[in-house]
Amino acid sequence: MSAAASRAAEAARAGIRLPGMAQSFGIPLLLFAAIVALLEWLKDSGHLPITVPAPSQVAEAFLQSYGDLLYHMGPTVLGAVLGYALAISIALALAAIATSVRGAEPPIFRIGVAIDSIPLIALTPILMVWVGNGLSSRIAIATIASLFPLIVGSIRGFRAVEQNASELFHVLSASRGQAMVKLALPSALPYLFAAFKIAAPLAILGSLIAEWVSADRGLGIMMVYALFSFNVPLAWLTILAVCALAALAYGLVAGIERLVVGAGSGERLHSDG
Amino acid sequence: MSEIALAGVSKSFAIAHKAVHALAEVSLTLPKGGFYALIGPSGCGKSTLLRLIADILRPDAGSISIGGHPPAEARKRHEIGFVFQDASLLPWRSVLDNVRLPIEIAGRSVANPADPMQLIELVGLADFAHARPSQLSGGMQQRVSIARALALRPKVLLLDEPFGALDEITRQRMNLELLRIWQETGTTAVLVTHNISEAAFLADRVHVLAAHPGRIVAEIGVGLARPRTLALMRTNSFAQAQNALRDALFGEDGAAEEEAEIAAGQAPT
Ligand SMILES: Nc1ncnc2c1ncn2[C@@H]1O[C@H](COP(=O)(O)OP(=O)(O)O)[C@@H](O)[C@H]1O
Ligand SMILES: [Mg+2]
């Protein structure tokens, strides 16, 4: 076999391999462009309902009102970030109680399930009577929306220390502090970050829901105005903005995870036999 | 390098409100510097015995001493190295950092710790010092675990079925390596196993345990010369040592059924 042929065979066996950048950005970008073109064509030929705008209309709305968008984004993000931080604090405290007090886990878990199963859109108006309709309501709803996965992840994380590893630390006569820093925390981190990642977009959603019900500023109220004034492109613009925020929040936490936990365990180098 | 002595040690556990006598009235003396094996069917209390020596568990009755001191003292002075059945490495640490862990924890309280890199070379993993445990095979992970147990130059090295999960070929290689390490370090080694040939190959003396309640039923000296090599396993004297162990485990007539069960890795109950 010639060198070229064997190289081709090699490539075929390995499957088509694109360079890293092309793989992680090129293909999604191409797909995105294709979908945009398809939607544009569908809208032009009258196949799309009036409630779905052409991508070009949304782009136009963006150029017209990106100032408004940024102005309204501020309080939404602030409410989400503060609510997220509060939810993390509550979840860590509850998980610490659940894992250190005998019999505390089932009731804490049940309360978590109960809170999680309340429809937020129904709870929000009631909560507003108590906490008012400003930043505090955004924080409250964002907290409630993101709390449950954080509780579950924290409890699992705090229980993640393996029996043998904790016996090892005992044989080594490690202090409580050493066991915490060198064993409990690193064991918990993967579970904590899994929960942090799920909860981050939920906090944004919570902040948004609070604004739907009542707010003088925020992406939620911008969305509601656009809907009631039947500004379809603007409504879609706010939806896309929320999606982008949620994805950004997830990506940010995932980035922090990579920094803290490291690049992961990599491939197996060796096996017995 | 310390003598281990147990006198009248008993330990029971409560399982579903019933007391299980894991160990009853166990007495034994393991002179310093030797290599000892504990053998018996699973559930006979081998791990419990090792955990008692390492001060992971406290005996209900009886006394234990390591070099004349209670196990808790030996533990706090970092004189005990323990190797678990599964390597129990910290997955977020590299091989080197896993081996270094005991030194980090002991801090200044241990004057003369081993050099982690030398230990890694001792167990033949110099090329993998910066690999993560998940990148290594089971046998390599267990070697890291042994290196870690040696980091503080322990006076006693306790190994709980360290090679139980490995295939026969790897196990054989690990046994040779373990003997070499033991000879280089001069530590008192206690190995739990349920493998007759492993016990005969490694140990100076084998303590045979039986279950319900867990107790020592025989103590058999293995008079094979050291250093021991694979060639030894083909000799008559090695076969005789194995037979002696087999007799102690199954009785002189060697109840064939029971033996088959052991070979299949099941505990006779
Ligand atoms: N932590 C524990 N809790 C309850 N029972 C235990 C515990 N550890 C061991 N046992 C019981 O003690 C007996 C001896 O166990 P073990 O020492 O692990 O045996 P071996 O290591 O010889 O297989 C078994 O019956 C086991 O069920
Ligand atoms: Mg065991």
Side-chain angles (χ1 to χ4, degrees), chain A residues 164 167 170 172 182 269 272, chain B residues 51 55 86 104 135 137:
Chain A
N164 277 350
E167 285 183 3
H170 174 77
L172 291 174
K182 292 183 196 293
L269 300 175
D272 290 321
Chain B
R51 287 169 138 74
D55 191 43
D86 63 335
E104 274 176 40
Q135 296 173 300
S137 70

Side-chain angles (χ1 to χ4, degrees), chain B residues 46-47 85 160-161 192:
Chain B
K46 304 183 296 294
S47 296
Q85 179 162 9
D160 192 355
E161 293 185 37
V192 162

Side-chain angles (χ1 to χ4, degrees), chain B residues 108-189:
Chain B
R108 299 247 172 80
S109 66
V110 167
N112 184 24
D115 173 10
M117 205 53 222
Q118 271 177 11
L119 284 175
I120 292 171
E121 279 161 24
L122 184 69
V123 296
L125 289 175
D127 291 342
F128 297 91
H130 300 286
R132 293 288 176 115
S134 60
Q135 296 173 300
L136 305 181
S137 70
M140 294 162 91
Q141 291 185 18
Q142 204 53 275
R143 280 190 268 169
V144 177
S145 166
I146 291 172
R148 178 179 63 189
L150 296 170
L152 298 173
R153 303 186 196 279
K155 297 193 168 141
V156 302
L157 179 62
L158 309 174
L159 308 107
D160 192 355
E161 293 185 37
F163 313 132
L166 303 182
D167 61 273
E168 196 54 40
I169 300 161
T170 311
R171 175 195 280 259
Q172 208 62 257
R173 260 206 305 260
M174 300 288 297
N175 283 341
L176 282 168
E177 220 161 326
L178 180 60
L179 275 185
R180 182 172 58 79
I181 290 168
W182 165 70
Q183 250 147 1
E184 276 182 40
T185 57
T187 176
T188 309

Side-chain angles (χ1 to χ4, degrees), chain A residues 239-263:
Chain A
I239 293 171
L240 286 179
V242 171
C243 291
L245 272 184
L248 193 71
Y250 184 96
L252 214 60
V253 179
I256 295 172
E257 177 181 22
R258 258 196 301 278
L259 279 182
V260 174
V261 180

Side-chain angles (χ1 to χ4, degrees), chain A residues 41-68:
Chain A
W41 174 76
L42 282 173
K43 186 71 182 179
D44 268 355
S45 53
H47 286 299
L48 285 183
I50 192 163
T51 48
V52 180
S56 59
Q57 290 173 291
V58 179
E60 208 173 305
F62 175 74
L63 289 177
Q64 257 171 25
S65 20
Y66 66 87
D68 285 352

Side-chain angles (χ1 to χ4, degrees), chain B residues 13 15 20 22 41-48:
Chain B
F13 296 103
I15 299 179
V20 174
S42 49
C44 70
K46 304 183 296 294
S47 296
T48 303

